[in-house]
Amino acid sequence: MKNCTNLLIVLFLAPALLFGQAKKAAKTGSDKIDKLKAEAVAAVEANAVQAQQINDMLFSFAELGFQEEESFKYLTTLLEKEGFTVKKGIAGIPTAWIATWGSGKPLIAVGSDIDCIPKASQKPGVAYKDPIVEGAPGHGEGHNSGQALNIVAVLAVKKLMEREKIPGTLMLWPGVAEELVGTKAFYVRDGYFKDVDACIFTHVGNNLGVSWGDNGNNGLVSVRFNFEGQAAHAAGAPWRGRSALDAVELMNIGWNFRREHLELTQRSHYVISDGGDQPNVVPSKAAVWYYFRERTYPKIKKLFETGVKIAEGAALMTDTKFTYEILGSAWPVHTNKVMAAAAYDNIKKVGLPTWSEEDQLLARASQIELQAPKTEGLATKLDSMGMPTSSAPVVMMGGQAMTPMGGGSDDIADISWSLPTIVLRYPSNIPGLPGHHWANAISMATPIAHKGVVYGAKAEAMTLLDLLLKPELIKDAWAYYKDEQTKDIKYEPLISPKEQPAIYLNKKIMAEFKPKLEKFYYDPSKYKSYLEQLGIKYPTIRDDQREAVKKVVEKEKSSASKVSSSRSE
């Protein structure tokens, strides 16, 4: 009887004992992860100089999409020295690469863009237009910073993986020609992300944050329409000519009249990339380059098809021929809820950098110079985690159901529709500037960018450790991807198997400006920073800007004092 009683006691207590042991083991595991995260954060901080040097080096190269030759050589050489296996020229793109280290699962991809903006050359730390090379490209978005962030974060995690024998593979890669949305769909099409378990993408911003779901942006198709006619003497025998330029102009007129009858979510814009040779020769060849943007895959396709019809009409009116080529594409972005939540927990632990008076002075002066909506300087409070844009249609006058308004595009979307992906934004740029503009380069090789990169790297390193050490996180991320994101919407490429990356784009521009820019490439062996190399006092602002900032600050203090006084009353 006594033995039976003891057995019953054991059976009764066993679940409780097992639960207690599991709870203790979970706590031990959690404590270990927290300890490793703290080490990773410390390693990132210790490598702040390396982050600054990578950031400033890429800033000085100032290379346009598909022509990122110096960035390619610099980054691949650096990663090979760090023990990564580098595959070069992927997807038929000379400046594209994939660098891997480690073995086994999970395979985690970490990427960021590297190209810059035409005519955006700007001296860093100067709060007014002051180009390094007049008319040259420059980092007027801030793509020089993302690889600095990723490399420092990944190297910190790699060191821990080696010591702790943590299984997994880290994969670094660049967004080549993102400004042309020209490569990531090709990466996906050619299978470079086929076996990847999760992707963290980093993009410059003005706060440290992350979002999930539909972010409200548009997808697009980038298309060049080529018209061919017949040359002739423009004065002597114009009747023998068939102007390809006339066809281009008529297409643009047709498209602009059609805009009135397109949905409000569309964004479309064009440049005449070839308008003929000289006025006295009827142009036998001309071309126009369009971006067709919309909020959903079917609407992007429909907009593109409308453009083809208008091009056909223009060709008929001018008795010319036309062809078209797709230069790039992107779906609307959709990022992973599970991964975003994990990243945001780490973001809250990292917080924002402590900005110096000089940092804030540069930011405010730049905001005033560019007539920004707000002149509050750099962010001092974290944003909340970004939530999905509502996809519920709004019924408009006439019974048309319209999804919410869209905006810009990013070809990271094609990867986000292929596997669980998040976009980590970090505070290296100044809020309220125009974007795709020389002013957005003002901060990008200054302490503002350097601090933003380091804080972003801390959050990324911590999130990488979560993905490596918590198998349930990747499992749940895939469950969201399969059961929610792609339940009713399936990814279909906007490019076909026949399209090839437009690697010829920007060649002429870089051939003109690269020799001029080479004189200003950063030399970290001689100078601590690019600011020092250029001899720039930080920050450089005019007296009138300094006075304007002073007035804004005084006004803010006065308003704050009035609010405080009214509350006390």
Side-chain angles (χ1 to χ4, degrees):
M1 184 66 179
K2 186 176 180 181
N3 289 339
C4 288
T5 301
N6 290 339
L7 181 60
L8 287 170
I9 291 170
V10 170
L11 291 171
F12 179 76
L13 292 175
L17 290 168
L18 290 171
F19 176 76
Q21 290 172 353
K23 190 174 180 181
K24 185 177 179 181
K27 187 177 186 307
T28 302
S30 178
D31 289 345
K32 183 178 180 180
I33 293 173
D34 288 343
K35 183 181 177 183
L36 291 174
K37 284 183 178 181
E39 287 190 59
V41 166
V44 167
E45 190 68 49
N47 287 331
V49 171
Q50 183 184 32
Q52 170 258 313
Q53 289 181 350
I54 298 170
N55 178 90
D56 289 7
M57 186 69 79
L58 297 183
F59 184 93
S60 73
F61 293 150
E63 295 174 305
L64 293 171
F66 288 119
Q67 310 306 321
E68 308 97 335
E69 296 170 355
E70 298 300 325
S71 302
F72 168 83
K73 287 186 284 188
Y74 173 71
L75 292 170
T76 55
T77 300
L78 187 159
L79 289 167
E80 284 172 337
K81 287 180 179 177
E82 293 290 349
F84 283 76
T85 299
V86 181
K87 187 172 185 178
K88 302 175 183 179
I90 65 167
I93 304 161
T95 55
W97 47 269
I98 282 177
T100 55
W101 177 88
S103 61
K105 291 284 194 173
L107 170 54
I108 304 169
V110 182
S112 196
D113 300 321
I114 57 174
D115 59 330
C116 71
I117 303 290
K119 296 181 175 66
S121 180
Q122 171 65 19
K123 291 177 183 175
V126 179
Y128 48 85
K129 188 173 183 180
D130 190 8
I132 297 171
V133 174
E134 183 65 49
H139 275 286
E141 180 161 341
H143 286 176
N144 61 296
S145 54
Q147 289 294 335
L149 187 163
N150 289 346
I151 289 171
V152 170
V154 164
L155 291 180
V157 172
K158 173 179 176 285
K159 186 177 180 181
L160 293 173
M161 290 174 71
E162 288 173 319
R163 190 189 74 196
E164 301 292 324
K165 295 181 172 53
I166 299 170
T169 304
L170 301 175
M171 169 179 147
L172 282 158
W173 59 277
V176 167
E178 187 276 336
E179 301 300 347
L180 307 173
V181 288
T183 57
K184 298 187 187 81
F186 292 100
Y187 294 170
V188 172
R189 186 193 70 181
D190 294 349
Y192 291 102
F193 284 81
K194 183 174 62 175
D195 298 319
V196 176
D197 295 296
C199 177
I200 300 177
F201 187 75
T202 56
H203 197 285
V204 65
N206 52 56
N207 207 313
L208 186 56
V210 69
S211 302
W212 66 274
D214 179 356
N215 71 1
N217 282 2
N218 284 333
L220 70 77
V221 176
S222 167
V223 190
R224 176 180 163 122
F225 293 91
N226 303 297
F227 292 88
E228 185 172 355
Q230 176 64 47
H233 194 301
W239 52 87
R240 297 185 64 177
R242 298 291 179 267
S243 174
L245 179 59
D246 287 352
V248 164
E249 291 185 303
L250 284 167
M251 179 182 179
N252 294 341
I253 291 168
W255 186 260
N256 287 326
F257 272 97
R258 187 62 180 265
R259 285 180 198 271
E260 181 183 357
H261 310 290
L262 297 174
E263 293 189 34
L264 299 180
T265 45
Q266 74 87 24
R267 299 280 193 281
S268 53
H269 13 265
Y270 59 82
V271 295
I272 297 175
S273 50
D274 180 2
D277 298 309
Q278 58 192 58
N280 66 328
V281 179
V282 174
S284 62
K285 293 185 179 180
V288 60
W289 182 7
Y290 271 79
Y291 275 15
F292 298 111
R293 304 187 199 244
E294 255 291 5
R295 288 283 287 117
T296 65
Y297 171 81
K299 289 185 176 182
I300 297 166
K301 292 281 285 184
K302 183 180 178 182
L303 201 65
F304 168 44
E305 289 162 3
T306 301
V308 173
K309 287 181 181 178
I310 290 176
E312 184 179 7
L316 286 170
M317 284 188 284
T318 53
D319 196 16
T320 58
K321 298 176 182 178
F322 88 98
T323 58
Y324 65 82
E325 54 182 316
I326 295 177
L327 304 181
S329 68
W331 265 57
V333 176
H334 189 117
T335 45
N336 193 269
K337 181 180 181 179
V338 176
M339 288 174 60
Y344 191 66
D345 283 345
N346 292 320
I347 285 169
K348 288 188 290 185
K349 292 171 185 173
V350 170
L352 286 170
T354 300
W355 307 114
S356 69
E357 289 184 15
E358 291 80 10
D359 297 335
Q360 291 288 15
L361 180 58
L362 178 67
R364 285 179 182 269
S366 301
Q367 289 168 338
I368 291 168
E369 182 77 6
L370 275 297
Q371 300 178 350
K374 296 181 180 179
T375 54
E376 299 171 348
L378 302 168
T380 55
K381 182 180 179 182
L382 280 175
D383 283 340
S384 58
M385 183 165 67
M387 305 296 282
T389 298
S390 173
S391 58
V394 178
V395 178
M396 306 294 289
M397 185 180 295
Q400 173 66 46
M402 189 187 82
T403 54
M405 299 288 281
S409 311
D410 193 324
D411 55 356
I412 187 59
D414 289 71
I415 293 171
S416 79
W417 281 97
S418 305
L419 67 142
T421 301
I422 56 170
V423 177
L424 176 69
R425 294 188 175 269
Y426 51 95
S428 288
N429 219 316
I430 296 169
L433 301 187
H436 290 186
H437 191 272
W438 60 263
N440 289 74
I442 288 173
S443 67
M444 292 313 305
T446 72
I448 295 171
H450 304 151
K451 292 172 189 176
V453 163
V454 167
Y455 275 67
K458 291 175 181 178
E460 180 172 78
M462 294 168 75
T463 306
L464 284 170
L465 287 170
D466 283 330
L467 291 167
L468 288 165
L469 298 171
K470 299 177 181 178
E472 70 278 6
L473 183 58
I474 290 178
K475 181 181 177 182
D476 292 345
W478 276 97
Y480 172 83
Y481 171 81
K482 292 175 180 177
D483 300 338
E484 296 188 48
Q485 179 182 343
T486 60
K487 181 181 179 182
D488 301 314
I489 302 173
K490 304 300 179 186
Y491 174 72
E492 297 179 58
L494 285 158
I495 56 170
S496 71
K498 71 177 183 179
E499 262 90 40
Q500 296 301 317
I503 59 175
Y504 60 86
L505 291 174
N506 293 320
K507 271 195 175 183
K508 288 184 179 179
I509 299 173
M510 288 309 301
E512 176 186 356
F513 285 106
K514 186 173 181 178
K516 300 175 184 179
L517 290 165
E518 285 175 340
K519 304 170 188 176
F520 299 97
Y521 285 174
Y522 176 45
D523 184 353
S525 68
K526 293 182 179 179
Y527 303 97
K528 291 181 180 179
S529 71
Y530 197 44
L531 287 173
E532 182 183 327
Q533 179 169 327
L534 294 176
I536 295 170
K537 180 184 176 182
Y538 181 75
T540 296
I541 63 173
R542 299 189 306 265
D543 290 343
D544 63 298
Q545 291 178 308
R546 191 178 297 275
E547 190 62 31
V549 170
K550 184 179 177 181
K551 289 179 181 178
V552 168
V553 172
E554 287 174 352
K555 186 176 179 180
E556 287 176 357
K557 287 180 179 178
S558 176
S559 298
S561 178
K562 288 178 181 178
V563 170
S564 177
S565 177
S566 64
R567 285 177 178 171
S568 62
E569 290 172 3

